[in-house]
Amino acid sequence: MKKDIILAGVGGQGILSIATVIGEAALKENLNIKQAEVHGMSQRGGDVQSNLRISSEPIASDLIPKGCADLIISLEPMEALRYLPYLSKEGWIVTNTEPFVNIPNYPAMEAVNGELAKIANVIKVDVDAIAKEAGNPRGANIVLLGACSHLLGIEPEKFEQGIERIFARKGQEVVDSNLKAFRAGQKAAGR
């Protein structure tokens, strides 16, 4: 088993939390993981990207070559497009539908959606709205994780255990709201 994942978004959206939960789940599956540092302006509002590689075999590098990513997980739709050169021909994009307009010349959403429509394997989810409906407006990142979890080759229970471990220090209420967000994301993706 091997999955090369690009995590993309804007600073403050929770990219690192997604990576941490995936990493926890992968370790529970006895998989090897390597993660590159977050690249970009990790302050709130700047673009961020990270490589996460998971494999049953040893992993030599934490960087994903162009054309080899199995999955782009993006909390911001234009940021998903930024990393298209890295997506493999069979790869998937799972992205939020709602933009985070952080630049004055942000393209029209019709143009962004037009480019996404050219990709064979795309799941678009309004994770912000789903997170609010689930009672966890700050949990959009965990909703997105739920929406892409079926593409990662890891049992859903392992992600839930990762969420429990990662958020335990914040209390059971935070754990429960993130589990609810994760499950809402799974449901939104038809899982």
Side-chain angles (χ1 to χ4, degrees):
M1 187 282 236
K2 179 186 82 62
K3 293 288 179 185
D4 288 339
I5 306 158
I6 293 180
L7 301 163
V10 174
Q13 287 187 306
I15 296 290
L16 288 178
S17 293
I18 294 173
T20 302
V21 173
I22 293 172
E24 286 279 326
L27 289 174
K28 281 289 183 188
E29 292 272 329
N30 294 315
L31 297 170
N32 297 298
I33 61 170
K34 284 210 184 222
Q35 180 183 357
E37 290 182 16
V38 172
H39 300 280
M41 304 222 9
S42 58
Q43 307 93 315
R44 183 168 294 284
D47 63 305
V48 294
Q49 175 267 342
S50 183
N51 291 315
L52 181 61
R53 304 185 85 187
I54 302 169
S55 178
S56 53
E57 302 298 320
I59 303 167
S61 172
D62 56 359
L63 298 178
I64 299 169
K66 286 187 176 178
C68 293
D70 300 298
L71 181 62
I72 296 173
I73 301 171
S74 183
L75 279 157
E76 207 292 321
M78 188 181 74
E79 292 301 321
L81 296 177
R82 184 186 306 268
Y83 299 101
L84 278 181
Y86 290 88
L87 190 65
S88 72
K89 291 184 191 311
E90 303 81 28
W92 283 82
I93 293 176
V94 182
T95 186
N96 187 6
T97 58
E98 294 305 304
F100 184 96
V101 180
N102 57 347
I103 55 174
N105 58 345
Y106 193 99
M109 278 310 295
E110 294 82 22
V112 172
N113 285 327
E115 291 300 313
L116 286 169
K118 295 176 184 177
I119 310 303
N121 301 316
V122 176
I123 297 172
K124 298 189 308 182
V125 180
D126 185 346
V127 296
D128 298 319
I130 293 168
K132 287 177 188 167
E133 286 173 23
N136 184 0
R138 295 186 62 197
N141 59 335
I142 303 301
V143 171
L144 188 64
L145 175 61
C148 71
S149 61
H150 67 283
L151 298 170
L152 294 169
I154 297 173
E155 293 297 317
E157 299 79 32
K158 300 292 194 285
F159 292 111
E160 292 191 5
Q161 291 169 5
I163 289 167
E164 289 170 356
R165 280 190 302 281
I166 300 302
F167 294 104
R169 63 183 165 78
K170 295 184 177 186
Q172 192 60 45
E173 187 175 326
V174 173
V175 169
D176 292 342
S177 68
N178 279 290
L179 289 171
K180 186 175 180 182
F182 177 77
R183 293 171 187 147
Q186 288 178 301
K187 184 177 178 183
R191 302 292 171 222

